[in-house]
Amino acid sequence: MTDEHASLTYTSYLALDDLLAAQHPRSEEHDELLFIVVHQVYELWFKQMLHELAHLRVRLEAGDTAHAVRTLRRVLTILKVVVAQIDVLETMTPSQFTSFRTRLDAASGFQSAQFRELEAVLGRRDPRMVAHYPEGSPARERIAAAMARPSLFDSFLIYLSVHGYDVTGDRRKLLLGVYTDDGGPASVAEHLVDLDEGVQEWRYRHVKMVERTIGDKAGTGGSSGAKYLRGTLFQPLFPDLWAVRADL
């Protein structure tokens, strides 16, 4: 064992000194640390989901059913944890949040570049997604790059073509054939529906948490708060996978 490996510890491997020193409350309020920690953990999970979805696209485009399903299951499990974190945030009352909210200035979850990148990977193509990030900034470039790449559903179509399906014709007819065959591709399709539902559940729980915390007040960072978030509800990532159910 080299000296370098011998000196590796749990603390150094996980960079705990840096991680645990990364919380900087701007007030003396007890609850601000919880707010910071929960949102930092969100960003770590967003990073992991981006990592997993990049792997998923590779496995799909290779026609690899088994590993695509395993990766989707991991992402779905992470989503459940992300949604469950809202329960932790909701232990903070409106007055507790108000006690330090003004210290946030223009900082807002609306500015999360990783979440915007995640939306782009999942198929959202909206120029407004990059409008809040300066020209040439790393965040803007990452989001724009994700929007320029094929979406996750595009990778699913490549997967279906690898498995012998004609993806050039009517999309609904294609998916009906996939479900009728009831094989591996149908299982992947159902896991994508689970992913879609999981993201919609996250959006719903998020907006309800905001409503119970600040009502219809404007959000920090210039967003319209709950009003904006409500506008994101019930917009499926993969509408074709929902529409085909009327034909089954």
Side-chain angles (χ1 to χ4, degrees):
M1 181 178 289
T2 66
D3 290 341
E4 179 184 358
H5 289 159
S7 65
L8 184 67
T9 66
Y10 177 81
T11 297
S12 62
Y13 178 65
L14 297 179
L16 289 182
D17 289 339
D18 293 331
L19 182 66
L20 298 178
Q23 295 76 46
H24 305 287
R26 303 189 68 194
S27 74
E28 298 298 322
E29 297 297 333
H30 172 79
D31 299 282
E32 189 177 359
L33 181 62
L34 174 69
F35 185 81
I36 292 171
V37 168
V38 168
H39 284 83
Q40 287 182 336
V41 173
Y42 274 140
E43 292 296 329
L44 288 173
W45 282 129
F46 292 161
K47 179 176 182 176
Q48 187 64 36
M49 282 196 284
L50 286 167
H51 180 66
E52 297 297 341
L53 290 172
H55 180 67
L56 175 60
R57 289 187 59 245
V58 172
R59 298 325 317 155
L60 285 172
E61 293 176 17
D64 186 345
T65 301
H67 287 91
V69 168
R70 289 174 192 169
T71 306
L72 277 162
R73 286 176 178 166
R74 178 175 291 178
V75 174
L76 290 167
T77 304
I78 292 171
L79 263 176
K80 289 183 182 299
V81 175
V82 168
V83 172
Q85 285 186 185
I86 293 175
D87 293 334
V88 181
L89 271 177
E90 288 183 340
T91 65
M92 186 167 52
T93 67
S95 60
Q96 288 170 331
F97 179 54
T98 301
S99 69
F100 64 86
R101 185 178 186 239
T102 57
R103 301 295 185 93
L104 302 181
D105 295 335
S108 169
F110 185 76
Q111 299 162 341
S112 171
Q114 284 200 121
F115 187 72
R116 295 300 177 208
E117 185 180 355
L118 188 61
E119 287 183 307
V121 169
L122 294 172
R124 186 177 178 189
R125 297 292 182 266
D126 185 344
R128 293 174 297 177
M129 292 171 65
V130 298
H132 298 278
Y133 305 94
E135 290 277 359
S137 66
R140 186 176 184 130
E141 290 177 358
R142 285 199 311 272
I143 299 166
M147 291 175 65
R149 290 193 298 267
S151 69
L152 182 60
F153 194 79
D154 292 329
S155 294
F156 176 57
L157 292 177
I158 294 172
Y159 165 84
L160 292 180
S161 69
V162 171
H163 283 267
Y165 290 94
D166 179 7
V167 299
T168 62
D170 179 81
R171 185 74 55 78
R172 196 149 157 173
K173 183 177 180 181
L174 162 67
L175 294 174
L176 180 59
V178 168
Y179 276 102
T180 300
D181 292 342
D182 199 23
S187 178
V188 172
E190 280 299 276
H191 279 81
L192 288 174
V193 171
D194 290 337
L195 174 60
D196 197 333
E197 191 170 359
V199 172
Q200 291 189 60
E201 180 185 5
W202 146 255
R203 290 190 184 280
Y204 176 77
R205 287 296 313 278
H206 188 201
V207 72
K208 299 311 291 185
M209 180 268 293
V210 170
E211 286 178 341
R212 71 181 288 169
T213 304
I214 65 170
D216 279 328
K217 294 177 185 175
T220 54
S223 75
S224 60
K227 181 180 178 181
Y228 165 78
L229 294 172
R230 281 194 294 268
T232 68
L233 297 178
F234 310 116
Q235 297 181 18
L237 301 169
F238 315 122
D240 292 323
L241 287 173
W242 295 94
V244 74
R245 278 145 221 287
D247 302 325
L248 296 176

